[in-house]
Amino acid sequence: MALQTSFEHPVPVSTLATMVGDWIDRLGAIWVEGQITQISRRPGAGMVFLTLRDPSHDVSVSVTCYRSVFEKVVPAPSEGARVVV
């Protein structure tokens, strides 16, 4: 579904995020390879935030992971590591 938006009638972030999430869900399970460039463990949050970068192109995505899942990975992921997720 194409959105009809303009400067005067923008779409809320939540609507866009839902639409992108729905589109990604239709892809099914996929494996992605990249390099971790930032890791942020926020106190009190049960989440770890990281940036996954394509080392061949100037493209990156933000990734959110449950802390309990992240901490089970062996060896522990670190900045600069190449990973498959």
Side-chain angles (χ1 to χ4, degrees), residues 38-54:
Q38 295 176 320
I39 299 174
S40 175
R41 296 173 186 88
R42 298 191 184 147
M47 309 301 282
V48 174
F49 305 92
L50 56 97
T51 301
L52 191 62
R53 181 180 173 276
D54 184 328

Side-chain angles (χ1 to χ4, degrees), residues 4-82:
Q4 300 298 318
T5 66
S6 66
F7 180 79
E8 294 81 16
H9 301 286
V11 63
V13 171
S14 61
T15 300
L16 177 63
T18 298
M19 292 179 75
V20 169
D22 290 346
W23 181 78
I24 291 171
D25 285 343
R26 288 196 304 269
L27 292 175
I30 58 173
W31 291 94
V32 178
E33 180 181 16
Q35 180 181 23
I36 297 174
T37 59
Q38 295 176 320
I39 299 174
S40 175
R41 296 173 186 88
R42 298 191 184 147
M47 309 301 282
V48 174
F49 305 92
L50 56 97
T51 301
L52 191 62
R53 181 180 173 276
D54 184 328
S56 302
H57 298 88
D58 190 21
V59 178
S60 62
V61 295
S62 298
V63 177
T64 304
C65 180
Y66 289 108
R67 182 180 293 249
S68 60
V69 172
F70 185 84
E71 291 176 348
K72 290 180 184 177
V73 177
V74 176
S78 61
E79 291 189 24
R82 285 194 146 171

